[in-house]
Every structure is written in structure tokens, then in C-alpha cells.
Amino acid sequence: MGRIGYGARALVFLIVAGLFGLAAWTAHASDAGGVAEALERLQSQPGGKWLLVLTGIGLALFGAYSLIEARFRRLHVDLPGTD
């Protein structure tokens, strides 16, 4: 669940980074987009409807993984001077 979720999140962030790079290359700040623009770009691809569905499922899995991790993760901190 975590691997698929991180993969979907990485895909969206990669597209956003590409949009930022394009905006920097062309020196048009208005070309830089966010997550909404990245998802629109996915949808405009051939088979974009299915890419968007798979990305949405992946992001939902990432959210579920994050909630499970937050609930069950235990942090062990060794403080100096305590035994």
C-alpha cells in the first residue's frame, strides 16, 4: 500500500516539478502550476481518464498508509544523561 501510494505521489510531484521547470525555462511564472494543473495534464493524455483514476487510487492508498503509520508508529528516543 505504501509503495503504490508513494509512487502515485511521486508521479504528481514529478509533473509539478516539470511545470516549474518549464516556467523557469520560458521565464513565464504563469506557466507554473500546482497539483490541479498536474492532474489536468494527466487527464489530457491518451487514456487520461484511466491514468487519473489510477493516480487517485494511489493517492487514496497513500492517505490510508499515512493514517495507519501515524496510528501504529512508535518513536524511541534516547536522551543523553538518562539510563
Side-chain angles (χ1 to χ4, degrees), residues 13-65:
F13 285 169
L14 184 66
I15 295 171
V16 170
L19 292 172
F20 283 170
L22 179 66
W25 184 263
T26 61
H28 292 108
S30 62
D31 290 343
V35 174
E37 179 73 25
L39 295 176
E40 286 176 13
R41 294 271 176 130
L42 269 178
Q43 189 176 13
S44 68
Q45 300 300 313
K49 176 181 175 182
W50 295 110
L51 286 173
L52 199 58
V53 167
L54 291 175
T55 304
I57 290 170
L59 291 173
L61 286 174
F62 177 75
Y65 172 77

Side-chain angles (χ1 to χ4, degrees), residues 75-83:
L75 299 177
H76 300 284
V77 179
D78 294 327
L79 297 175
T82 61
D83 292 324

